[in-house]
Amino acid sequence: MTATLSATLFQELENLVLIDPHSHINPLSAASKNLADLMGYHYYTELAHSAGLPKDQIEGPEITPKEKVGRLVEKLADLDNTIQVSWLLEMCREFFGFADDRITKDNWESLYDSAEQKMSQPDWEQQVLKHSKLEKVFLTNDFDDPLEGFDTGVYIPCLRTDDLVFHFLKKAVRDRLHKATGIEAIDAGTLRTAIGKLFQHFVAKGARACAISLPPTFSPVKVDPGAASTIIKHAVKGQRLTNSEQDMLSSFVFWTLTEYCAEFKLPFDLMIGVNRRVYEAGVYQGQDLYDTRVSLIQYKEVLNAFPQVTFPISVLTHMSNQELVSYSWIFPNIVANGHWWYSNTPTYIELDTRSRLEAVPRNKQIGYYSDMYKLEFALPKFRMYRRILARVLAEDFVQRRGWSEDQALALGKQVLRGNVETIFHI
Amino acid sequence: MTATLSATLFQELENLVLIDPHSHINPLSAASKNLADLMGYHYYTELAHSAGLPKDQIEGPEITPKEKVGRLVEKLADLDNTIQVSWLLEMCREFFGFADDRITKDNWESLYDSAEQKMSQPDWEQQVLKHSKLEKVFLTNDFDDPLEGFDTGVYIPCLRTDDLVFHFLKKAVRDRLHKATGIEAIDAGTLRTAIGKLFQHFVAKGARACAISLPPTFSPVKVDPGAASTIIKHAVKGQRLTNSEQDMLSSFVFWTLTEYCAEFKLPFDLMIGVNRRVYEAGVYQGQDLYDTRVSLIQYKEVLNAFPQVTFPISVLTHMSNQELVSYSWIFPNIVANGHWWYSNTPTYIELDTRSRLEAVPRNKQIGYYSDMYKLEFALPKFRMYRRILARVLAEDFVQRRGWSEDQALALGKQVLRGNVETIFHI
Amino acid sequence: MTATLSATLFQELENLVLIDPHSHINPLSAASKNLADLMGYHYYTELAHSAGLPKDQIEGPEITPKEKVGRLVEKLADLDNTIQVSWLLEMCREFFGFADDRITKDNWESLYDSAEQKMSQPDWEQQVLKHSKLEKVFLTNDFDDPLEGFDTGVYIPCLRTDDLVFHFLKKAVRDRLHKATGIEAIDAGTLRTAIGKLFQHFVAKGARACAISLPPTFSPVKVDPGAASTIIKHAVKGQRLTNSEQDMLSSFVFWTLTEYCAEFKLPFDLMIGVNRRVYEAGVYQGQDLYDTRVSLIQYKEVLNAFPQVTFPISVLTHMSNQELVSYSWIFPNIVANGHWWYSNTPTYIELDTRSRLEAVPRNKQIGYYSDMYKLEFALPKFRMYRRILARVLAEDFVQRRGWSEDQALALGKQVLRGNVETIFHI
Ligand SMILES: [Zn+2]
Ligand SMILES: [Zn+2]
Ligand SMILES: [Zn+2]
């Protein structure tokens, strides 16, 4: 009975047209051109590398897309248990009519060719958007992105700020900031003004969010502008900073960004918990991991200081999910946001979804975002989530709490789409 | 088949008359007088505030109970997914014959009035106790509570000690201790004697437990009385203490309490993990959160030093539950106690219940306590737990391990009631 | 439908002949001689002690095996809910034809006698191996074990190294090393040479792994041999080391062991997270617990430095499982290994199994090891795991992902056996 109900709810949720509130789509090349664009996604390269494929077999300028796919395919048999490979199969079935159980050395070439043919159709991008029921997609834009050449009504800009907060010490970053704003940031005041320019530019272009990913050690505090100026001056001169000075500088920039989020009424997406370059010999984008020893209490000061800023928070691990539930239930300015990266697998999504739906106000949770680099991934990823969401609604709400199917469906639609509209003012 | 069995076990567990081993009931006003007493529970005010209701709309001396309920009702639609609102509906159905799906602006006033009428019946408190199958209810008493004016056979005193351990520095606390005991605590010896007086008083009045909630940073150690005296003298003079001195003072008081628990054979309820006032602008009782980075190993010294004291331990988060399971399985003096606060939602209760029932001796676990402030809450809260317990017994014990229904039921009754009697000597 | 499928898969998995990749079997006395050998397993003594049985009732040279069993039986009623007692019942049913529901004071003596009779049969060990479908069993050998007197084709040596890494300061350990190798380890060079001798000996005797259990505080770094030599010289003179010197010494030995693992191509089993002697008055082997605050990031340096060494990693708690999943998915040299000790109960095994099967390459996970001290335990422990594995394969792979029964079964067999062969080169 529950299985039937769950299937019915899934079908209903499948009909919902979506706004994807976080992706890494390049709006100038949103859809894929060949299977290498799909299988080059770091999930496949890092899993294949982890399973034994040498990095130099798949990374290097001399490797053609088709060669790369061929080499990855040889490792797929070791990865076919992963949910990530199930996404790949689902895309191949939905978009390219692939009918086999597995992608193997015997069938991949014909798949490659038929996929390439399909993807070369001039309206491929539109086909994908339509077939995936995607209406709008949030981007992740470098702070110096001109935000030109695409329809910001479909591809919504989002100001990504990791470089400013954690890499201001790098001359290349400061040069980019100078170039983007015309302002040379040499102290707290000029840095503040330059950042303000970025916000003006992004908001003028229709940005709906500011975003950042944060290491587990970060704990922002308010920094006195005078102290910040001293450190910025050292940084600009190329002097080394102590750890404590680097932390203060990061805090100062983070705090300044939050002030502008308040001023420009932009939600500030915090993605908490990633350690960069833990596995230094890993493939591209396959080097980052984490330390579960992190707490949202590290954000106590900023959460209290900015009640007017909405913080959609993503946590990297299931171990942080209960904190996200509890902090969202107490702090009006926190929204529980999606299932990020290492927690974006069914076991963790299901538990995290259950715990959020039963304890966080329904208007304060965003069910899912794709985090995709290529447009085709929205379909299998959101579908995975819709299946789980349907199951949770069927079991926890209809079966156990006596809700009607319609009531359950309305809740599902709200977390999948409605809240994206209200929270990001779309 | 499992669903049927689970329903059968639930019905059987529903028949069990309970002793609630932890609540915040005021025995002089145990039951509610109107819907505002129910909806003023911090779960509703904090969730409504989190969902967007300004604090000043629901807190303030000029707001009548009916106004307060009306304002909270306007936010209920954003909270109806939460398990806490399901408790509210269940109370309204069971106690006031409420028949609608939701409490809305259209139906709340008649509900308010019919509830008020029902609650004004002179035997309302008795009706609630009887209908909820509650035989006895543990209280949470301030250390200077006279414990008079109520039947301590029904409302069992419990000595709550947070103020003594963490707020001795406050003159008001010291004055209350002085007044309650006739002793001025000016050094280790007089403080010890004063605390002894409290134990005598509480035990004479039928107290069955000492209790405390503890921040995640606390790690009690044995403190030399001479060193404690020095610090107490500073405290009494109103001097500021260093963090380390404050920790030593807290440790000394905690250790002294534990010594008296040994002497008076009182279990010492430890509720581990809460950070107070994290969200400072929160509603009343809606400001506390936590840091998951806490371990029971912080209690290693005291657990080893007091084998004769039973410590019923509650942990604030699901993340601490496995430690509670493992420590209860090893230490004879630890009892796994209930599902506290932020972990008192079905997803976490179910996992925590499963893991305890399969690895902790059955005589060392207390299934549930209500933690309620008003008597009406025992019914929906214990019912939520009984449903989950019935499901776990059906699946894990009858279906998977081949137990008979009777054997499973006996286990359920033991963790729901039997162990409360043996552990607290009732 | 799922239940039927799960039962079918379980039956298929039950037919699989196993290699147990980690145990504490004494190959000179692998099987039990009486029920005391089974019930003397620390799980029963520690649970009985935790439930109230005084330690001196079950530990002491004057207690006969039969007396010990009689006393433990009196406490079994308090433990019958635990999965560990279900193992005991399953052994008694499978091996001794026990037909009752529970072991009680009325039936234990006849069970004891019939078990003893069965176990005294000269081919008992062979019977157990055959009935349990065990082909080979990994041992845990002290570094100075002569590895003689048994068939290393069945009982595979494994070099256990805790003593070397954490107890080199003890003269007894240094004496054992001297005796085993003929080398007096008085500085970095001689210690290195001595350890090399151990590897030569173990590998010559067919060892297939090196292993160690590690406290949650340990974080190995590369130590300069000169600095190590200075510390070793102090240690050899019996001087006390500072904590930092002890850490450096442990790091040096750990690093040296890892170098030899590279040289001799031995996987290095890391069992991460145990604190020894937390409950000092506990029974034999029932004193250890843990602190969940531990991260695999502590092993970042060694994991990066030794890409050629395979590290099958076990974590002590479910709270560390997601890190194990993520680190195995990124690092080619990590294998997710079994369900250790406090996580070896069905609730945690199920969640950990689900999360690994959906995100870690299938060739990089070892489903289970027994960790047993006596041969009879392989049957109930592996059976517990096979039941859970069958359920996960049925639900997650066949039902939800549309795999065929054969495909699911192949995955089950690979994690249960196939990977043990490939990872340990058997
Ligand atoms: Zn992203
Ligand atoms: Zn309480
Ligand atoms: Zn072991």
Side-chain angles (χ1 to χ4, degrees), chain B residues 59-76:
Chain B
E59 290 191 353
E62 77 296 352
I63 303 166
T64 67
K66 198 159 184 176
E67 280 171 346
K68 186 173 175 176
V69 169
R71 289 168 185 178
L72 285 164
V73 163
E74 287 188 40
K75 264 293 160 195
L76 277 187

Side-chain angles (χ1 to χ4, degrees), chain C residues 22-24 140 160 213 271 276 340-341 369-373:
Chain C
H22 174 65
S23 84
H24 296 263
T140 292
R160 183 71 174 238
S213 76
M271 315 185 86
R276 302 293 178 182
W340 188 32
W341 201 344
Y369 50 76
S370 73
D371 215 1
M372 64 186 167
Y373 285 76

Side-chain angles (χ1 to χ4, degrees), chain A residues 22-24 140 160 213 271 340-341 369-373:
Chain A
H22 174 67
S23 83
H24 296 264
T140 291
R160 183 73 174 236
S213 76
M271 314 184 87
W340 188 33
W341 200 343
Y369 50 76
S370 74
D371 215 3
M372 65 186 167
Y373 286 76

